[in-house]
Amino acid sequence: YASFEHEAEPGDCETIMSLLRHIFGNGTVSFFHPIKKEREEISELDLGLDYLQLLYQRPTQILPILCLVSRENATGKSTFAKLLKMIFTQNVAIVGNAELSDNFNASWASKLLVICDEAKIDKQLVVEKVKSLSTAEKIMMNSKGKDHVEIDFFAKFMFLTNFEENFIYASDDDVRYWVRKVPIITNTNVDMLNNMKDE
């Protein structure tokens, strides 16, 4: 696990919060609480903030595979990936479909977050591999020209895609995926990345 290149301080983060509100939405989710045995509601933004807080404070916690989908461009999906890279620095790998299906996984096997940009995973073998790894505790790290090494595995997967309906095969009963349809950003801030980096 790589050390962060910054230290957290209290301060204003309105640009970041604006992007998070856009990505996670402002609706509510109704669910049945397993301990209280009653129906409750939580805001979508709070779920997103919980996801980020768990990444930061409990990096070994198993989390769902977050999928940000939208047919349109200019929705902020890639900007969100860049924000996570700024926050978690060397603990994030942004990969393509080829890296996920490749046998050599040393570029991402030790990371906290593996973000697959422009995801469209057609091969059932890769789908099953990602599903299995999303709850795995160990992985065989395979580097070119080196022996396989078993290491602890705590990576979370995130998919960014323009293929809303068919980027991956998932059954209706599969609870490993958290799919968010992301709308187009209406008020563009050309300095958004720089503002978020400052924050």
Side-chain angles (χ1 to χ4, degrees), residues 31-61:
F31 67 99
F32 186 77
H33 198 287
I35 297 170
K36 296 179 183 177
K37 305 291 186 202
E38 59 188 37
R39 188 150 291 284
E40 291 193 0
E41 286 191 347
I42 186 170
S43 79
E44 293 174 318
L45 178 60
D46 282 344
L47 283 174
L49 292 171
D50 286 350
Y51 180 87
L52 295 177
Q53 186 174 16
L54 288 169
L55 281 175
Y56 183 68
Q57 293 181 338
R58 298 184 182 188
T60 59
Q61 171 74 44

Side-chain angles (χ1 to χ4, degrees), residues 2-40:
S3 299
F4 284 14
E5 297 164 12
H6 52 76
E7 289 190 23
E9 292 179 359
D12 177 55
C13 59
E14 186 47 42
T15 312
I16 292 173
M17 287 305 298
S18 172
L19 179 65
L20 296 182
R21 281 190 291 270
H22 175 77
I23 294 292
F24 292 107
N26 57 6
T28 58
V29 175
S30 177
F31 67 99
F32 186 77
H33 198 287
I35 297 170
K36 296 179 183 177
K37 305 291 186 202
E38 59 188 37
R39 188 150 291 284
E40 291 193 0

